[in-house]
Amino acid sequence: MPKPTFYITTPIYYPSATLHIGHCYTTVAADTMTRYKKMRGYDAYFLTGSDEHGQKIERAAAAAGMEPIRYVDGIIASFQELWRKFDIDYSDFIRTTEPRHEEVVAEIFRRLRDQGDIYLGAYEGHYCVSCETFFTETQIKDAGGVCPDCGGHVDIVKEESYFFKMDKYADRLLAHIESHPDFIQPVSRRNEMVNFIKQGLEDLSISRTTFSWGIPVPDDPKHVIYVWLDALTNYISALGYTKGDERFERYWPADVHLVGKDIVRFHTIIWPIMLMALGLPLPKKVFAHGWILVNEGKMSKSKGNVVDPMILADRYSTDALRYFLLREFIFGTDGNYSEDVLISRVNVDLANDFGNLLSRTTAMIEKFQGGVIKAPGAKTEFDDELLALFRGVPGEMEEAMEKLEFHNALAAVWKIVTKANKYIDECAPWALNKNGETEKLATVLYNMAEAIRIATILLTPVMPNTPAKVFAQLGLEDKPELAAWDALTYGALPAGTVIRRGEPIFPRIETEKEAAPQKQEKKNKKNKAEAKKEQAAAKEEPAEGVITIDDFAKVRLKVGKVLAAEKVENADKLLKLTVRVGEEERTIVSGIAKFYAPDDVVGKNVAVVANLKPARLRGIESRGMLLCAENGDELELITVDTIADGGTIR
Ligand code: ME8
């Protein structure tokens, strides 16, 4: 039987001087999805590329004193180097300046003109060179006279232009969106697009005469084809559409176009209408992810806050960066980037949770069993819970991956990692060894090794370099069959395997900030006796209204990430929030609805009172409370920029 196919794309990027971490985000997500689908037996095809035409590039090349093609060649080489560095295993990289693409764009233009969907007219409008987009009078007015997308200068442009009859297809498109709820994701984006189409679609100006760096209109070469019509075509030109290429038959329609939220309109209105006009099926899903922000704002060269992934890749491993991008941010909403959060994720999740699990396990197998993984012997009372996770987590991961919820897929895997660390503490293998309980000891060490092996298989699509390192330490490097999805079953690890301890796979990142508290801690220890005396005195006679440090210590304050938020029906003040606190997700009802719209809080890292007795508010069980600061009559959430959720506040 032929394998099922899976076709995924990223946007094709503009050759601006540097790609930033936002571009990496989409590309890592697409690569992870492709690797995951391949592991699941799919014939997966992943397309990325570069969008090289347009006035912006023509001007940049002129400023650099270069021919446009020479100018872009250099930049595209740096894109490809970045993707190699991040282990991006694309199936094809399409450049819009390649003849194989240009020919298809020209052919599509010709067909649509021949069938009457494209006609020649005249255009006058506000045009933003930077965004390569025309805007209506109202859009410009609403934005205060500047480009509604980038805030930059807009020119009034009047020129002869070819137009594409969009409105002709509007009703069909609306019907398609309504009958295919998965077509535009997340739902909020779908609603925006439906409203946009319902306002009526104007015919789209699809050619320019004011510059020449583009694909000429067939038989009318003073016009070049509008860059978006050119760019969107990449998704089918790369498959050899119009050339009788069997890849087009095999992979089209795409399963997912991944796009940033700013280019949803192009992908869910212009692109589907082009496809309808060509009589082609529409992509199954367009998924809009959010933006990675810095200090809650957009990255921009002028602000000097562009996060360069090459620099980060040199500083941290790319596996760690890939993990961070997919674990920290909620695919679909904006998230705030800071290097401190990145370091915290690497140290807590990778160095502590995962790395230590591997080093503790291999160290104990070496010390207690001479480096040999023995067959499980007698059961312990803690096995069942761990084994249940081995059975359940792959399904949870699958469900999350199908919804492109990478953060949830990784959170599911971490259930195994966290539980396995707890399992070690519960079973105390050192005590079993001391007491000569070798049968139980064999079980515990075997289960720990299986936990690592199973978690590693699940992590493979996200961290492609890590499995080889882990498997080498487990003594399984010559058994690739044990790294496959099919080998997720508990017990596949052969007894008698000889482990090979190695270096920590994710060394802890030491920072100046981290060193400082350690120094402080030493100093504190010195004064411990004194401090104890003082505390004791404080305990004796607490003044009225004063609490002791012990009282305060009862409050468990944690950093939580808001994953979802909605208004509580018939309650003006209340928002129902889903908050992730490390491994755990909980519902918290908070009285902030007057100050925050649900969308404003999603993605924020907030301060949570984590051990508050649950309370029922409007029938919803609320587990915890968010800390806020009062500002007159207003409330402001206390947010924590630099610590990942699960972190303790004290
Ligand atoms: O739009 N965080 O190219 P582009 C996350 N050539 N994603 C971000 C981001 C951020 N901070 N900044 C940008 C184009 N992006 C066109 C696409 S497709 C036929 C043509 C995302 O290089 C942005 O949302 O300007 C978009 O999806 C992608 O990067 C490419 O941006």
Side-chain angles (χ1 to χ4, degrees), residues 15 52 54-73 75 213:
E52 304 180 17
Q55 191 169 16
K56 197 163 59 166
I57 310 291
E58 189 180 75
R59 284 186 182 169
M66 291 168 91
E67 281 294 306
I69 189 68
R70 293 280 88 69
Y71 173 77
V72 289
D73 277 350
I75 297 176
W213 181 237

Side-chain angles (χ1 to χ4, degrees), residues 11-14 20 22-23 51 235 260 262-263 289 291-292 299:
I12 48 172
Y13 303 110
Y14 289 127
H20 58 60
H23 302 115
D51 182 1
Y235 302 127
D262 52 325
I263 57 173
H289 61 75
W291 272 344
I292 297 184
M299 281 179 260

Side-chain angles (χ1 to χ4, degrees), residues 193-265:
M193 290 306 119
V194 167
N195 291 340
F196 189 88
I197 302 168
K198 281 187 176 160
Q199 283 168 22
L201 297 180
E202 288 174 13
D203 288 352
L204 181 71
S205 161
I206 51 157
S207 74
R208 304 282 178 267
T209 51
T210 46
F211 62 93
S212 61
W213 181 237
I215 302 172
V217 165
D219 313 315
D220 196 356
K222 68 176 184 298
H223 290 262
V224 293
I225 297 174
Y226 173 46
V227 71
W228 271 99
L229 202 84
D230 169 353
L232 289 161
T233 302
N234 90 90
Y235 302 127
I236 54 176
S237 67
L239 298 177
Y241 172 62
T242 71
K243 311 249 176 201
D245 190 322
E246 65 89 27
R247 284 175 312 151
F248 182 73
E249 295 306 316
R250 185 141 42 116
Y251 297 115
W252 192 258
D255 290 270
V256 192
H257 289 316
L258 290 185
V259 298
K261 61 178 189 179
D262 52 325
I263 57 173
V264 180
R265 194 155 46 93

